[in-house]
Amino acid sequence: RLRGVAFDNDTFVAVGISGTIVRSTDNGSSWDNATSPTTNILSGVSFGNDIFVAVGNSGNILRSTDNGASFDNATSPTSKNLREVTFGNEIFLGVGKDGNIVRSTDNGSSFDNATSPTENNLWGIEFGNDIFVGVGHSGNIVRSTDNGSSFDNVTSPTANLLWGVTFGNDIFVAVANSGNIVRSTDNGITWDNATSPTSKNLLGVTFDNDTFVAVGQSGNIVRSTDNGSSFDNATSPTGNALYGVTSTD
């Protein structure tokens, strides 16, 4: 089972259980195994400065400097499970269990703990407009304006578990259990519910070409072309749960 996926440098990299890492250099038509130094579950992967960084259970952090062909362990400050990672302003930022937030300013070679305002598990993290936004259990939303050094809680319109968050067209969009979708048009300060066509859990979300796309339980795919105000169902070729989605932008 694969849990996370990222794209850059004409390469898709996906990560999952048992330390599995696979990559595609032909637009996702075919995939090969990459060299992985771990058997821990890997849940998230991101790209920045020609480096892929993946995070997973037991605080495991991996990095690749050869376009995802092979990965090595990076220095991690935590043994807690990490769920997602993103890149912005020359900083890799990961989030995970018990509100743990880790931060790297040296291209993912080593990480330190950042100040977190929550003990709720955080499942998603995104960067946009010089702001990092994280989401997690009980509808928790956290926000950083100092390059991820510290975070504050913001008011959330939902108590549902938020699985993922993305940014596009100056808007943050996050997805949750029970088909809940929330959005912010003021850099993550305030959030409102968006119109959702499903009650199924949504587990991942991305933005590209003026369109937000979210995926989740039972192969559910929903999309929005009005800046995340409302979503409609898209045709899905699978009934399997979809855990992540990325764009080629």
Side-chain angles (χ1 to χ4, degrees), residues 149-186:
S149 294
S150 62
F151 283 75
D152 295 304
N153 285 306
V154 300
T155 302
S156 174
T158 182
N160 284 321
L161 189 161
L162 290 162
W163 288 101
V165 57
T166 195
F167 179 84
N169 280 358
D170 292 323
I171 295 167
F172 284 99
V173 170
V175 296
N177 281 354
S178 302
N180 209 179
I181 304 172
V182 299
R183 71 193 283 266
S184 171
T185 58
D186 58 5

PDB file of all heavy atoms in Angstrom, residues 149-186:
ATOM      1  N   SER A 149       9.293  27.975  12.407  1.00  0.00           N
ATOM      2  CA  SER A 149       9.958  27.882  13.714  1.00  0.00           C
ATOM      3  C   SER A 149       8.944  27.641  14.835  1.00  0.00           C
ATOM      4  O   SER A 149       9.209  26.892  15.775  1.00  0.00           O
ATOM      5  CB  SER A 149      10.751  29.160  14.009  1.00  0.00           C
ATOM      6  OG  SER A 149      11.823  29.310  13.106  1.00  0.00           O
ATOM      7  N   SER A 150       7.786  28.296  14.735  1.00  0.00           N
ATOM      8  CA  SER A 150       6.731  28.132  15.725  1.00  0.00           C
ATOM      9  C   SER A 150       5.367  28.223  15.051  1.00  0.00           C
ATOM     10  O   SER A 150       5.231  28.846  13.989  1.00  0.00           O
ATOM     11  CB  SER A 150       6.842  29.189  16.830  1.00  0.00           C
ATOM     12  OG  SER A 150       6.676  30.486  16.278  1.00  0.00           O
ATOM     13  N   PHE A 151       4.376  27.606  15.685  1.00  0.00           N
ATOM     14  CA  PHE A 151       3.018  27.553  15.142  1.00  0.00           C
ATOM     15  C   PHE A 151       2.017  28.000  16.187  1.00  0.00           C
ATOM     16  O   PHE A 151       2.250  27.873  17.400  1.00  0.00           O
ATOM     17  CB  PHE A 151       2.671  26.131  14.702  1.00  0.00           C
ATOM     18  CG  PHE A 151       3.288  25.714  13.399  1.00  0.00           C
ATOM     19  CD1 PHE A 151       4.636  25.402  13.315  1.00  0.00           C
ATOM     20  CD2 PHE A 151       2.525  25.634  12.239  1.00  0.00           C
ATOM     21  CE1 PHE A 151       5.221  25.017  12.122  1.00  0.00           C
ATOM     22  CE2 PHE A 151       3.093  25.249  11.036  1.00  0.00           C
ATOM     23  CZ  PHE A 151       4.440  24.940  10.982  1.00  0.00           C
ATOM     24  N   ASP A 152       0.882  28.505  15.721  1.00  0.00           N
ATOM     25  CA  ASP A 152      -0.254  28.839  16.579  1.00  0.00           C
ATOM     26  C   ASP A 152      -1.496  28.128  16.068  1.00  0.00           C
ATOM     27  O   ASP A 152      -1.632  27.870  14.868  1.00  0.00           O
ATOM     28  CB  ASP A 152      -0.501  30.352  16.575  1.00  0.00           C
ATOM     29  CG  ASP A 152       0.647  31.129  17.191  1.00  0.00           C
ATOM     30  OD1 ASP A 152       0.997  30.853  18.348  1.00  0.00           O
ATOM     31  OD2 ASP A 152       1.194  32.018  16.503  1.00  0.00           O
ATOM     32  N   ASN A 153      -2.417  27.832  16.985  1.00  0.00           N
ATOM     33  CA  ASN A 153      -3.708  27.273  16.592  1.00  0.00           C
ATOM     34  C   ASN A 153      -4.579  28.362  15.972  1.00  0.00           C
ATOM     35  O   ASN A 153      -4.532  29.523  16.381  1.00  0.00           O
ATOM     36  CB  ASN A 153      -4.437  26.695  17.810  1.00  0.00           C
ATOM     37  CG  ASN A 153      -3.847  25.391  18.266  1.00  0.00           C
ATOM     38  OD1 ASN A 153      -3.704  24.459  17.490  1.00  0.00           O
ATOM     39  ND2 ASN A 153      -3.518  25.291  19.553  1.00  0.00           N
ATOM     40  N   VAL A 154      -5.378  27.975  14.970  1.00  0.00           N
ATOM     41  CA  VAL A 154      -6.398  28.870  14.421  1.00  0.00           C
ATOM     42  C   VAL A 154      -7.754  28.199  14.571  1.00  0.00           C
ATOM     43  O   VAL A 154      -7.848  26.982  14.752  1.00  0.00           O
ATOM     44  CB  VAL A 154      -6.120  29.237  12.943  1.00  0.00           C
ATOM     45  CG1 VAL A 154      -4.793  29.932  12.815  1.00  0.00           C
ATOM     46  CG2 VAL A 154      -6.168  28.008  12.059  1.00  0.00           C
ATOM     47  N   THR A 155      -8.810  28.991  14.514  1.00  0.00           N
ATOM     48  CA  THR A 155     -10.168  28.468  14.679  1.00  0.00           C
ATOM     49  C   THR A 155     -10.580  27.640  13.474  1.00  0.00           C
ATOM     50  O   THR A 155     -10.447  28.083  12.328  1.00  0.00           O
ATOM     51  CB  THR A 155     -11.161  29.618  14.880  1.00  0.00           C
ATOM     52  OG1 THR A 155     -10.763  30.379  16.028  1.00  0.00           O
ATOM     53  CG2 THR A 155     -12.574  29.086  15.088  1.00  0.00           C
ATOM     54  N   SER A 156     -11.074  26.427  13.736  1.00  0.00           N
ATOM     55  CA  SER A 156     -11.486  25.506  12.679  1.00  0.00           C
ATOM     56  C   SER A 156     -13.000  25.358  12.661  1.00  0.00           C
ATOM     57  O   SER A 156     -13.633  25.320  13.716  1.00  0.00           O
ATOM     58  CB  SER A 156     -10.850  24.134  12.914  1.00  0.00           C
ATOM     59  OG  SER A 156     -11.324  23.185  11.987  1.00  0.00           O
ATOM     60  N   PRO A 157     -13.592  25.252  11.466  1.00  0.00           N
ATOM     61  CA  PRO A 157     -15.045  25.084  11.382  1.00  0.00           C
ATOM     62  C   PRO A 157     -15.511  23.637  11.521  1.00  0.00           C
ATOM     63  O   PRO A 157     -16.696  23.357  11.394  1.00  0.00           O
ATOM     64  CB  PRO A 157     -15.374  25.620   9.990  1.00  0.00           C
ATOM     65  CG  PRO A 157     -14.170  25.263   9.185  1.00  0.00           C
ATOM     66  CD  PRO A 157     -12.994  25.411  10.120  1.00  0.00           C
ATOM     67  N   THR A 158     -14.576  22.715  11.763  1.00  0.00           N
ATOM     68  CA  THR A 158     -14.953  21.303  11.841  1.00  0.00           C
ATOM     69  C   THR A 158     -14.220  20.617  12.987  1.00  0.00           C
ATOM     70  O   THR A 158     -13.123  21.044  13.379  1.00  0.00           O
ATOM     71  CB  THR A 158     -14.628  20.573  10.523  1.00  0.00           C
ATOM     72  OG1 THR A 158     -15.055  19.198  10.621  1.00  0.00           O
ATOM     73  CG2 THR A 158     -13.133  20.582  10.238  1.00  0.00           C
ATOM     74  N   ALA A 159     -14.851  19.551  13.504  1.00  0.00           N
ATOM     75  CA  ALA A 159     -14.198  18.685  14.490  1.00  0.00           C
ATOM     76  C   ALA A 159     -13.762  17.377  13.849  1.00  0.00           C
ATOM     77  O   ALA A 159     -13.200  16.510  14.522  1.00  0.00           O
ATOM     78  CB  ALA A 159     -15.138  18.421  15.668  1.00  0.00           C
ATOM     79  N   ASN A 160     -14.018  17.235  12.551  1.00  0.00           N
ATOM     80  CA  ASN A 160     -13.600  16.024  11.837  1.00  0.00           C
ATOM     81  C   ASN A 160     -12.087  16.001  11.664  1.00  0.00           C
ATOM     82  O   ASN A 160     -11.443  17.053  11.540  1.00  0.00           O
ATOM     83  CB  ASN A 160     -14.264  15.960  10.456  1.00  0.00           C
ATOM     84  CG  ASN A 160     -15.712  15.544  10.536  1.00  0.00           C
ATOM     85  OD1 ASN A 160     -16.087  14.678  11.318  1.00  0.00           O
ATOM     86  ND2 ASN A 160     -16.554  16.169   9.715  1.00  0.00           N
ATOM     87  N   LEU A 161     -11.524  14.800  11.633  1.00  0.00           N
ATOM     88  CA  LEU A 161     -10.101  14.641  11.375  1.00  0.00           C
ATOM     89  C   LEU A 161      -9.769  15.183   9.989  1.00  0.00           C
ATOM     90  O   LEU A 161     -10.339  14.748   8.999  1.00  0.00           O
ATOM     91  CB  LEU A 161      -9.711  13.164  11.485  1.00  0.00           C
ATOM     92  CG  LEU A 161      -8.229  12.798  11.467  1.00  0.00           C
ATOM     93  CD1 LEU A 161      -8.058  11.392  12.046  1.00  0.00           C
ATOM     94  CD2 LEU A 161      -7.628  12.836  10.078  1.00  0.00           C
ATOM     95  N   LEU A 162      -8.839  16.113   9.934  1.00  0.00           N
ATOM     96  CA  LEU A 162      -8.364  16.670   8.664  1.00  0.00           C
ATOM     97  C   LEU A 162      -7.124  15.900   8.231  1.00  0.00           C
ATOM     98  O   LEU A 162      -6.133  15.822   8.952  1.00  0.00           O
ATOM     99  CB  LEU A 162      -8.030  18.154   8.832  1.00  0.00           C
ATOM    100  CG  LEU A 162      -9.233  19.091   9.040  1.00  0.00           C
ATOM    101  CD1 LEU A 162      -8.788  20.422   9.614  1.00  0.00           C
ATOM    102  CD2 LEU A 162      -9.985  19.301   7.731  1.00  0.00           C
ATOM    103  N   TRP A 163      -7.190  15.321   7.014  1.00  0.00           N
ATOM    104  CA  TRP A 163      -6.125  14.440   6.535  1.00  0.00           C
ATOM    105  C   TRP A 163      -5.070  15.161   5.699  1.00  0.00           C
ATOM    106  O   TRP A 163      -3.907  14.745   5.677  1.00  0.00           O
ATOM    107  CB  TRP A 163      -6.725  13.322   5.687  1.00  0.00           C
ATOM    108  CG  TRP A 163      -7.479  12.293   6.444  1.00  0.00           C
ATOM    109  CD1 TRP A 163      -8.846  12.196   6.560  1.00  0.00           C
ATOM    110  CD2 TRP A 163      -6.942  11.204   7.192  1.00  0.00           C
ATOM    111  NE1 TRP A 163      -9.181  11.110   7.326  1.00  0.00           N
ATOM    112  CE2 TRP A 163      -8.033  10.483   7.726  1.00  0.00           C
ATOM    113  CE3 TRP A 163      -5.650  10.752   7.459  1.00  0.00           C
ATOM    114  CZ2 TRP A 163      -7.872   9.332   8.509  1.00  0.00           C
ATOM    115  CZ3 TRP A 163      -5.484   9.623   8.239  1.00  0.00           C
ATOM    116  CH2 TRP A 163      -6.582   8.927   8.761  1.00  0.00           C
ATOM    117  N   GLY A 164      -5.463  16.193   4.990  1.00  0.00           N
ATOM    118  CA  GLY A 164      -4.518  16.821   4.074  1.00  0.00           C
ATOM    119  C   GLY A 164      -4.892  18.246   3.765  1.00  0.00           C
ATOM    120  O   GLY A 164      -6.050  18.664   3.930  1.00  0.00           O
ATOM    121  N   VAL A 165      -3.906  19.014   3.283  1.00  0.00           N
ATOM    122  CA  VAL A 165      -4.125  20.421   2.962  1.00  0.00           C
ATOM    123  C   VAL A 165      -3.260  20.781   1.763  1.00  0.00           C
ATOM    124  O   VAL A 165      -2.170  20.244   1.578  1.00  0.00           O
ATOM    125  CB  VAL A 165      -3.796  21.316   4.186  1.00  0.00           C
ATOM    126  CG1 VAL A 165      -2.367  21.113   4.660  1.00  0.00           C
ATOM    127  CG2 VAL A 165      -4.071  22.785   3.906  1.00  0.00           C
ATOM    128  N   THR A 166      -3.764  21.686   0.921  1.00  0.00           N
ATOM    129  CA  THR A 166      -3.008  22.160  -0.240  1.00  0.00           C
ATOM    130  C   THR A 166      -3.238  23.654  -0.419  1.00  0.00           C
ATOM    131  O   THR A 166      -4.065  24.260   0.296  1.00  0.00           O
ATOM    132  CB  THR A 166      -3.410  21.380  -1.507  1.00  0.00           C
ATOM    133  OG1 THR A 166      -2.445  21.609  -2.535  1.00  0.00           O
ATOM    134  CG2 THR A 166      -4.792  21.787  -2.013  1.00  0.00           C
ATOM    135  N   PHE A 167      -2.526  24.239  -1.384  1.00  0.00           N
ATOM    136  CA  PHE A 167      -2.605  25.683  -1.615  1.00  0.00           C
ATOM    137  C   PHE A 167      -2.616  25.971  -3.102  1.00  0.00           C
ATOM    138  O   PHE A 167      -1.858  25.364  -3.873  1.00  0.00           O
ATOM    139  CB  PHE A 167      -1.406  26.384  -0.969  1.00  0.00           C
ATOM    140  CG  PHE A 167      -1.367  27.866  -1.165  1.00  0.00           C
ATOM    141  CD1 PHE A 167      -2.073  28.702  -0.317  1.00  0.00           C
ATOM    142  CD2 PHE A 167      -0.626  28.436  -2.190  1.00  0.00           C
ATOM    143  CE1 PHE A 167      -2.045  30.078  -0.492  1.00  0.00           C
ATOM    144  CE2 PHE A 167      -0.584  29.808  -2.374  1.00  0.00           C
ATOM    145  CZ  PHE A 167      -1.301  30.632  -1.519  1.00  0.00           C
ATOM    146  N   GLY A 168      -3.472  26.903  -3.513  1.00  0.00           N
ATOM    147  CA  GLY A 168      -3.507  27.342  -4.900  1.00  0.00           C
ATOM    148  C   GLY A 168      -4.363  28.581  -5.054  1.00  0.00           C
ATOM    149  O   GLY A 168      -5.370  28.749  -4.349  1.00  0.00           O
ATOM    150  N   ASN A 169      -3.977  29.458  -5.962  1.00  0.00           N
ATOM    151  CA  ASN A 169      -4.737  30.700  -6.203  1.00  0.00           C
ATOM    152  C   ASN A 169      -5.005  31.478  -4.917  1.00  0.00           C
ATOM    153  O   ASN A 169      -6.112  31.979  -4.692  1.00  0.00           O
ATOM    154  CB  ASN A 169      -6.056  30.397  -6.928  1.00  0.00           C
ATOM    155  CG  ASN A 169      -5.873  30.207  -8.413  1.00  0.00           C
ATOM    156  OD1 ASN A 169      -4.777  30.324  -8.935  1.00  0.00           O
ATOM    157  ND2 ASN A 169      -6.966  29.887  -9.110  1.00  0.00           N
ATOM    158  N   ASP A 170      -3.979  31.543  -4.049  1.00  0.00           N
ATOM    159  CA  ASP A 170      -4.076  32.277  -2.780  1.00  0.00           C
ATOM    160  C   ASP A 170      -5.093  31.681  -1.817  1.00  0.00           C
ATOM    161  O   ASP A 170      -5.592  32.385  -0.920  1.00  0.00           O
ATOM    162  CB  ASP A 170      -4.392  33.755  -3.023  1.00  0.00           C
ATOM    163  CG  ASP A 170      -3.239  34.481  -3.680  1.00  0.00           C
ATOM    164  OD1 ASP A 170      -2.075  34.172  -3.343  1.00  0.00           O
ATOM    165  OD2 ASP A 170      -3.483  35.348  -4.534  1.00  0.00           O
ATOM    166  N   ILE A 171      -5.399  30.396  -1.972  1.00  0.00           N
ATOM    167  CA  ILE A 171      -6.397  29.737  -1.128  1.00  0.00           C
ATOM    168  C   ILE A 171      -5.829  28.431  -0.574  1.00  0.00           C
ATOM    169  O   ILE A 171      -5.238  27.639  -1.309  1.00  0.00           O
ATOM    170  CB  ILE A 171      -7.683  29.448  -1.924  1.00  0.00           C
ATOM    171  CG1 ILE A 171      -8.351  30.763  -2.335  1.00  0.00           C
ATOM    172  CG2 ILE A 171      -8.664  28.583  -1.129  1.00  0.00           C
ATOM    173  CD1 ILE A 171      -9.424  30.605  -3.369  1.00  0.00           C
ATOM    174  N   PHE A 172      -6.003  28.217   0.737  1.00  0.00           N
ATOM    175  CA  PHE A 172      -5.730  26.923   1.348  1.00  0.00           C
ATOM    176  C   PHE A 172      -7.022  26.101   1.377  1.00  0.00           C
ATOM    177  O   PHE A 172      -8.080  26.618   1.741  1.00  0.00           O
ATOM    178  CB  PHE A 172      -5.227  27.088   2.789  1.00  0.00           C
ATOM    179  CG  PHE A 172      -3.795  27.531   2.900  1.00  0.00           C
ATOM    180  CD1 PHE A 172      -3.494  28.869   3.134  1.00  0.00           C
ATOM    181  CD2 PHE A 172      -2.756  26.629   2.788  1.00  0.00           C
ATOM    182  CE1 PHE A 172      -2.170  29.286   3.249  1.00  0.00           C
ATOM    183  CE2 PHE A 172      -1.431  27.036   2.899  1.00  0.00           C
ATOM    184  CZ  PHE A 172      -1.138  28.363   3.129  1.00  0.00           C
ATOM    185  N   VAL A 173      -6.916  24.824   0.996  1.00  0.00           N
ATOM    186  CA  VAL A 173      -8.038  23.892   1.061  1.00  0.00           C
ATOM    187  C   VAL A 173      -7.588  22.650   1.815  1.00  0.00           C
ATOM    188  O   VAL A 173      -6.521  22.091   1.529  1.00  0.00           O
ATOM    189  CB  VAL A 173      -8.547  23.502  -0.340  1.00  0.00           C
ATOM    190  CG1 VAL A 173      -9.549  22.350  -0.257  1.00  0.00           C
ATOM    191  CG2 VAL A 173      -9.182  24.700  -1.032  1.00  0.00           C
ATOM    192  N   ALA A 174      -8.394  22.207   2.786  1.00  0.00           N
ATOM    193  CA  ALA A 174      -8.099  21.007   3.565  1.00  0.00           C
ATOM    194  C   ALA A 174      -9.273  20.043   3.489  1.00  0.00           C
ATOM    195  O   ALA A 174     -10.434  20.459   3.363  1.00  0.00           O
ATOM    196  CB  ALA A 174      -7.805  21.360   5.016  1.00  0.00           C
ATOM    197  N   VAL A 175      -8.976  18.732   3.561  1.00  0.00           N
ATOM    198  CA  VAL A 175     -10.010  17.702   3.436  1.00  0.00           C
ATOM    199  C   VAL A 175     -10.011  16.808   4.661  1.00  0.00           C
ATOM    200  O   VAL A 175      -8.987  16.638   5.330  1.00  0.00           O
ATOM    201  CB  VAL A 175      -9.809  16.858   2.160  1.00  0.00           C
ATOM    202  CG1 VAL A 175      -9.981  17.726   0.929  1.00  0.00           C
ATOM    203  CG2 VAL A 175      -8.443  16.174   2.147  1.00  0.00           C
ATOM    204  N   ALA A 176     -11.199  16.207   4.917  1.00  0.00           N
ATOM    205  CA  ALA A 176     -11.399  15.548   6.200  1.00  0.00           C
ATOM    206  C   ALA A 176     -12.299  14.321   6.077  1.00  0.00           C
ATOM    207  O   ALA A 176     -12.800  13.984   4.998  1.00  0.00           O
ATOM    208  CB  ALA A 176     -12.015  16.541   7.185  1.00  0.00           C
ATOM    209  N   ASN A 177     -12.521  13.681   7.229  1.00  0.00           N
ATOM    210  CA  ASN A 177     -13.502  12.605   7.314  1.00  0.00           C
ATOM    211  C   ASN A 177     -14.895  13.118   6.978  1.00  0.00           C
ATOM    212  O   ASN A 177     -15.175  14.316   7.049  1.00  0.00           O
ATOM    213  CB  ASN A 177     -13.503  12.007   8.720  1.00  0.00           C
ATOM    214  CG  ASN A 177     -12.360  11.040   8.953  1.00  0.00           C
ATOM    215  OD1 ASN A 177     -11.604  10.716   8.037  1.00  0.00           O
ATOM    216  ND2 ASN A 177     -12.213  10.577  10.185  1.00  0.00           N
ATOM    217  N   SER A 178     -15.758  12.173   6.600  1.00  0.00           N
ATOM    218  CA  SER A 178     -17.169  12.467   6.290  1.00  0.00           C
ATOM    219  C   SER A 178     -17.326  13.437   5.127  1.00  0.00           C
ATOM    220  O   SER A 178     -18.336  14.140   5.030  1.00  0.00           O
ATOM    221  CB  SER A 178     -17.894  13.014   7.529  1.00  0.00           C
ATOM    222  OG  SER A 178     -17.820  12.096   8.594  1.00  0.00           O
ATOM    223  N   GLY A 179     -16.313  13.499   4.254  1.00  0.00           N
ATOM    224  CA  GLY A 179     -16.397  14.357   3.081  1.00  0.00           C
ATOM    225  C   GLY A 179     -16.237  15.826   3.373  1.00  0.00           C
ATOM    226  O   GLY A 179     -16.427  16.669   2.476  1.00  0.00           O
ATOM    227  N   ASN A 180     -15.875  16.155   4.595  1.00  0.00           N
ATOM    228  CA  ASN A 180     -15.731  17.553   4.986  1.00  0.00           C
ATOM    229  C   ASN A 180     -14.570  18.219   4.227  1.00  0.00           C
ATOM    230  O   ASN A 180     -13.481  17.676   4.121  1.00  0.00           O
ATOM    231  CB  ASN A 180     -15.477  17.631   6.487  1.00  0.00           C
ATOM    232  CG  ASN A 180     -15.969  18.911   7.133  1.00  0.00           C
ATOM    233  OD1 ASN A 180     -15.837  19.090   8.328  1.00  0.00           O
ATOM    234  ND2 ASN A 180     -16.550  19.820   6.350  1.00  0.00           N
ATOM    235  N   ILE A 181     -14.834  19.404   3.687  1.00  0.00           N
ATOM    236  CA  ILE A 181     -13.822  20.205   3.002  1.00  0.00           C
ATOM    237  C   ILE A 181     -13.882  21.622   3.563  1.00  0.00           C
ATOM    238  O   ILE A 181     -14.972  22.203   3.664  1.00  0.00           O
ATOM    239  CB  ILE A 181     -14.056  20.244   1.481  1.00  0.00           C
ATOM    240  CG1 ILE A 181     -14.108  18.821   0.898  1.00  0.00           C
ATOM    241  CG2 ILE A 181     -12.955  21.042   0.793  1.00  0.00           C
ATOM    242  CD1 ILE A 181     -14.531  18.779  -0.568  1.00  0.00           C
ATOM    243  N   VAL A 182     -12.724  22.170   3.951  1.00  0.00           N
ATOM    244  CA  VAL A 182     -12.682  23.525   4.485  1.00  0.00           C
ATOM    245  C   VAL A 182     -11.681  24.343   3.683  1.00  0.00           C
ATOM    246  O   VAL A 182     -10.739  23.810   3.096  1.00  0.00           O
ATOM    247  CB  VAL A 182     -12.324  23.534   5.986  1.00  0.00           C
ATOM    248  CG1 VAL A 182     -13.375  22.777   6.780  1.00  0.00           C
ATOM    249  CG2 VAL A 182     -10.940  22.935   6.230  1.00  0.00           C
ATOM    250  N   ARG A 183     -11.882  25.663   3.667  1.00  0.00           N
ATOM    251  CA  ARG A 183     -11.015  26.534   2.867  1.00  0.00           C
ATOM    252  C   ARG A 183     -10.759  27.850   3.579  1.00  0.00           C
ATOM    253  O   ARG A 183     -11.591  28.308   4.383  1.00  0.00           O
ATOM    254  CB  ARG A 183     -11.604  26.777   1.471  1.00  0.00           C
ATOM    255  CG  ARG A 183     -12.815  27.648   1.455  1.00  0.00           C
ATOM    256  CD  ARG A 183     -13.553  27.618   0.125  1.00  0.00           C
ATOM    257  NE  ARG A 183     -12.928  28.399  -0.920  1.00  0.00           N
ATOM    258  CZ  ARG A 183     -13.237  29.657  -1.215  1.00  0.00           C
ATOM    259  NH1 ARG A 183     -14.161  30.314  -0.507  1.00  0.00           N
ATOM    260  NH2 ARG A 183     -12.646  30.281  -2.214  1.00  0.00           N
ATOM    261  N   SER A 184      -9.615  28.453   3.251  1.00  0.00           N
ATOM    262  CA  SER A 184      -9.248  29.752   3.792  1.00  0.00           C
ATOM    263  C   SER A 184      -8.790  30.663   2.666  1.00  0.00           C
ATOM    264  O   SER A 184      -7.956  30.275   1.841  1.00  0.00           O
ATOM    265  CB  SER A 184      -8.115  29.605   4.819  1.00  0.00           C
ATOM    266  OG  SER A 184      -7.615  30.872   5.200  1.00  0.00           O
ATOM    267  N   THR A 185      -9.318  31.872   2.653  1.00  0.00           N
ATOM    268  CA  THR A 185      -8.943  32.856   1.630  1.00  0.00           C
ATOM    269  C   THR A 185      -8.092  33.980   2.206  1.00  0.00           C
ATOM    270  O   THR A 185      -7.792  34.953   1.510  1.00  0.00           O
ATOM    271  CB  THR A 185     -10.204  33.455   0.972  1.00  0.00           C
ATOM    272  OG1 THR A 185     -11.015  34.067   1.988  1.00  0.00           O
ATOM    273  CG2 THR A 185     -11.020  32.375   0.269  1.00  0.00           C
ATOM    274  N   ASP A 186      -7.680  33.850   3.483  1.00  0.00           N
ATOM    275  CA  ASP A 186      -6.884  34.905   4.129  1.00  0.00           C
ATOM    276  C   ASP A 186      -5.605  34.330   4.747  1.00  0.00           C
ATOM    277  O   ASP A 186      -5.254  34.638   5.874  1.00  0.00           O
ATOM    278  CB  ASP A 186      -7.714  35.665   5.161  1.00  0.00           C
ATOM    279  CG  ASP A 186      -8.279  34.764   6.259  1.00  0.00           C
ATOM    280  OD1 ASP A 186      -7.947  33.552   6.272  1.00  0.00           O
ATOM    281  OD2 ASP A 186      -9.032  35.270   7.108  1.00  0.00           O
TER     282      ASP A 186
END
